[in-house]
Amino acid sequence: GAGVSQSPRYKVAKRGQDVALRCDPISGHVSLFWYQQALGQGPEFLTYFQNEAQLDKSGLPSDRFFAERPEGSVSTLKIQRTQQEDSAVYLCASSGGGAGTSRRLFFGPGTRLTVL
Amino acid sequence: ILNVEQSPQSLHVQEGDSTNFTCSFPSSNFYALHWYRWETAKSPEALFVMTLNGDEKKKGRISATLNTKEGYSYLYIKGSQPEDSATYLCAWAYNTDKLIFGTGTRLQVFP
């Protein structure tokens, strides 16, 4: 595709509900990143994939957060039993090549999650 | 502490003014430094990725410099235009996996 797409763009969840956020990276991009941006903050690293391998998940805030990229393209970020503090914009980014952060990232528009 | 700081937090300038922002990062374990522009309702867009001390990059009216020994990067905009209004984010990479972002500088250019 022309760029990174994310769906849904907006999600309102009741506390305790499970949500799944989808990211379609640019075709052929090896590296895929998820970031969380809370209001007034910069994006914070959640996890990094190289193809289907999740090489770093140290930024996931709790075991309620789970990410996968089973075929090395589309990725899903799942949040179980959502809490109000999970309210944020979730950004997905991809880049070509295997050395993730030495290349520019292409970001999607983000999913704004609001937990009531 | 793995912290990236950007200053100022926000900036209001008149069309035609030149301006600059600062990004400070830890001077140890440097891998790369990124600058992104994020316009409202759009995706963040890469401006520059710099990897070498002393790097200078230019794209039109926007340029950036990098000092990895002292841990700072400057972004300059010459002759600001209203379409330059956006949040400018810098991000520091100390390995291949993670970018540590600053909180951004919000620029507003008035016609």
Side-chain angles (χ1 to χ4, degrees):
Chain A
V4 179
S5 61
Q6 292 185 246
S7 60
R9 291 291 310 276
Y10 303 92
K11 176 70 179 177
V12 178
K14 290 184 180 177
R15 193 171 55 184
Q17 191 177 348
D18 296 350
V19 298
L21 312 180
R22 178 187 168 108
C23 172
D24 282 84
I26 292 173
S27 177
H29 274 192
V30 168
S31 298
L32 186 144
F33 301 82
W34 282 98
Y35 288 87
Q36 179 192 58
Q37 186 184 28
L39 194 63
Q41 302 296 315
E44 290 198 10
F45 172 83
L46 293 177
T47 188
Y48 165 55
F49 289 88
Q50 192 175 111
N51 295 307
E52 69 279 3
Q54 189 174 22
L55 297 187
D56 191 331
K57 57 180 181 179
S58 61
L60 296 176
S62 76
D63 59 8
R64 296 186 296 103
F65 286 71
F66 172 77
E68 60 182 4
R69 194 186 185 199
E71 295 176 3
S73 55
V74 170
S75 177
T76 304
L77 177 67
K78 297 178 180 176
I79 309 173
Q80 296 178 321
R81 304 181 304 281
T82 52
Q83 304 293 313
Q84 284 188 320
E85 62 262 28
D86 299 336
S87 296
V89 175
Y90 290 85
L91 290 165
C92 174
S94 69
S95 73
T101 57
S102 67
R103 293 178 178 239
R104 57 180 290 188
L105 300 191
F106 292 81
F107 280 89
T111 294
R112 182 178 295 277
L113 172 65
T114 303
V115 182
L116 303 177
Chain B
I1 295 177
L2 304 180
N3 201 31
V4 174
E5 295 184 358
Q6 291 189 246
S7 62
Q9 275 193 324
S10 65
L11 200 52
H12 300 88
V13 302
Q14 289 293 127
E15 183 176 357
D17 287 351
S18 293
T19 187
N20 64 86
F21 324 134
T22 304
C23 173
S24 301
F25 52 88
S27 55
S28 58
N29 294 335
F30 178 85
Y31 189 74
L33 193 286
H34 296 221
W35 281 100
Y36 291 87
R37 174 170 58 202
W38 196 355
E39 296 178 64
T40 304
K42 294 187 177 180
S43 305
E45 175 194 0
L47 290 172
F48 306 112
V49 177
M50 295 185 285
T51 56
L52 295 175
N53 184 43
D55 252 356
E56 292 187 20
K57 300 263 187 176
K58 189 173 180 189
K59 184 178 180 179
R61 295 178 291 99
I62 305 178
S63 60
T65 61
L66 177 66
N67 184 324
T68 62
K69 294 186 188 307
E70 296 182 38
Y72 65 83
S73 175
Y74 294 137
L75 187 79
Y76 300 92
I77 302 179
K78 186 177 176 183
S80 303
Q81 299 296 309
E83 58 265 29
D84 296 329
S85 297
T87 296
Y88 290 82
L89 289 166
C90 77
W92 165 65
Y94 60 90
N95 60 24
T96 59
D97 296 359
K98 294 189 186 67
L99 281 178
I100 309 295
F101 281 85
T103 54
T105 293
R106 185 186 296 266
L107 173 68
Q108 194 149 5
V109 182
F110 295 104

